[in-house]
Amino acid sequence: MDIVEGETAGSAEARTTPAGEWEREPHPSDSLRTFGAVAQALREHAGLSRAELATRVRYSKHTVESVELGRRMPDEAFVERAEEALGNTGALRKAARHLSRGEVGLAAWFRQWARLERDAVSLCTYECRLVPGLLQSEAYARAVFEGTIPLRTDDELEGQLMARMERQRMMRERPTVPFSFIVEEHVFRRRFGDAEMMRGLVDHVLERSAPRNVTLQVVPLEAGLHTCLDGPVQVLETKEGRRLGYSEGQENGRLISDPKGVSVLCHRYETLRSQALNPKESRDLLERLRGEL
């Protein structure tokens, strides 16, 4: 079985291969750095500070900085607003056409699963430790990475954060692919930051799980013991109809391709689905939790 890295905060910067060599995290792509340099040059030519540009494009100063340093993929809204704010030269629109997401911030051993996710015709996720990466708010994801041991440099943290936010784009771009999530209630009760950040997380989860192709079910605290107590798991189906599984623990993860092993995971998942709250009850629970903050 292949070893891959997943949703946890502990994505190691490097690992030893069987040959004893080190595999490093990739650096931000040249296209992101180039776009950022163009944006910074145009901003400075216009005589604007990062804070002033942030106000005009309606993004945070931190986002502007991350884009300029090549740490973050700018979305269409950012490109268009920055283009208008910086003179409508067309330079940013043209540069944006050549942006490459690459796999910045993804550990080498997680890239295989990430590629499988992007092409899957369905994806099921059970989580009992933290909010699944595809549903995390930016503030929550940042808090997760900031709590990682060993500590990350600012560049490493930004790369990981960018990668996680980019993975979420997959859900918006594939509206006909079923995404199913089953998450333990206690995950949403675990505090981070202040009340505003907690409300932001719940709002983000509710927004991401609102489309018809996304199903979120919460396992309530009173549900008791169930079939997935061995830990978090993901199962996907490929275009060829093949099912693959992924599970992880401390400092490791594994891709499960054996049909019998995957069948067991699918059976456990379907059994837990029948024990969890239905989607409407789950949304009602999250809204109640938000009201308690």
Side-chain angles (χ1 to χ4, degrees):
M1 298 180 187
D2 296 309
I3 301 299
V4 292
E5 183 277 329
E7 299 281 33
T8 63
S11 308
E13 177 188 356
R15 73 177 179 103
T16 52
T17 66
E21 299 174 346
W22 287 97
E23 288 188 1
R24 296 287 180 181
E25 289 276 346
H27 295 295
S29 71
D30 289 340
S31 64
L32 285 173
R33 289 187 183 279
T34 300
F35 180 91
V38 171
Q40 181 173 351
L42 289 174
R43 174 181 61 76
E44 292 174 348
H45 181 73
L48 298 175
S49 67
R50 283 175 174 161
E52 290 169 332
L53 178 60
T55 299
R56 298 193 183 193
V57 298
R58 302 197 295 280
Y59 283 81
S60 68
K61 177 185 173 183
H62 180 79
T63 297
V64 172
E65 179 182 14
S66 295
V67 169
E68 290 187 352
L69 295 178
R71 298 171 176 167
R72 179 173 184 145
M73 171 76 75
D75 58 23
E76 284 185 27
F78 183 96
V79 173
E80 287 302 315
R81 294 171 192 170
E83 184 70 68
E84 294 173 4
L86 299 176
N88 273 315
T89 64
L92 292 181
R93 291 191 186 97
K94 290 179 180 177
R97 295 173 191 164
H98 302 286
L99 284 172
S100 173
R101 293 180 196 173
E103 291 177 319
V104 179
L106 294 181
W109 55 99
F110 181 56
R111 294 173 204 158
Q112 182 179 8
W113 183 258
R115 287 191 292 269
L116 289 168
E117 277 187 333
R118 290 197 294 267
D119 293 329
V121 297
S122 69
L123 179 66
C124 297
T125 301
Y126 163 67
E127 253 303 345
C128 56
R129 308 158 305 165
L130 72 170
V131 175
L134 291 175
L135 298 179
Q136 292 178 4
S137 66
E138 184 169 336
Y140 182 91
R142 180 177 295 279
V144 168
F145 288 129
E146 286 178 344
T148 298
I149 295 176
L151 297 177
R152 302 287 177 254
T153 66
D154 288 345
D155 284 345
E156 290 167 348
L157 190 150
E158 291 300 328
Q160 290 179 315
L161 183 62
M162 179 177 70
R164 184 145 297 178
M165 295 300 101
E166 279 302 306
R167 281 182 63 220
Q168 294 187 3
R169 188 191 296 256
M170 169 182 65
M171 293 179 63
R172 299 192 295 273
E173 293 177 344
R174 309 190 69 198
T176 61
V177 173
F179 292 89
S180 171
F181 299 91
I182 301 178
V183 185
E184 299 282 352
E185 179 182 342
H186 67 79
V187 166
F188 296 110
R189 289 186 176 276
R190 187 181 298 277
R191 296 301 182 100
F192 85 100
D194 55 23
E196 182 178 354
M197 295 172 72
M198 287 291 296
R199 284 191 290 269
L201 168 64
V202 176
D203 288 342
H204 186 82
V205 171
L206 289 171
E207 178 186 353
R208 286 287 178 267
S209 60
R212 289 183 294 114
N213 65 312
V214 182
T215 302
L216 171 64
Q217 293 180 256
V218 177
V219 182
L221 295 175
E222 61 268 20
L225 304 180
H226 55 70
T227 62
C228 288
L229 294 178
D230 284 349
V233 66
Q234 297 185 66
V235 177
L236 61 76
E237 183 179 356
T238 69
K239 294 177 181 178
E240 297 76 28
R242 187 184 183 195
R243 293 187 300 180
L244 299 170
Y246 171 73
S247 67
E248 65 184 14
Q250 292 281 342
E251 296 295 322
N252 69 83
R254 61 193 181 106
L255 178 67
I256 302 169
S257 57
D258 175 66
K260 291 184 179 179
V262 177
S263 178
V264 170
L265 295 180
C266 290
H267 184 65
R268 289 176 181 174
Y269 190 88
E270 290 303 322
T271 301
L272 181 58
R273 177 181 281 172
S274 69
Q275 297 171 323
L277 299 176
N278 67 40
K280 183 181 183 305
E281 293 169 337
S282 298
R283 293 183 69 83
D284 290 344
L285 174 59
L286 289 181
E287 289 171 354
R288 288 199 302 274
L289 292 179
R290 188 190 188 284
E292 295 172 5
L293 296 171

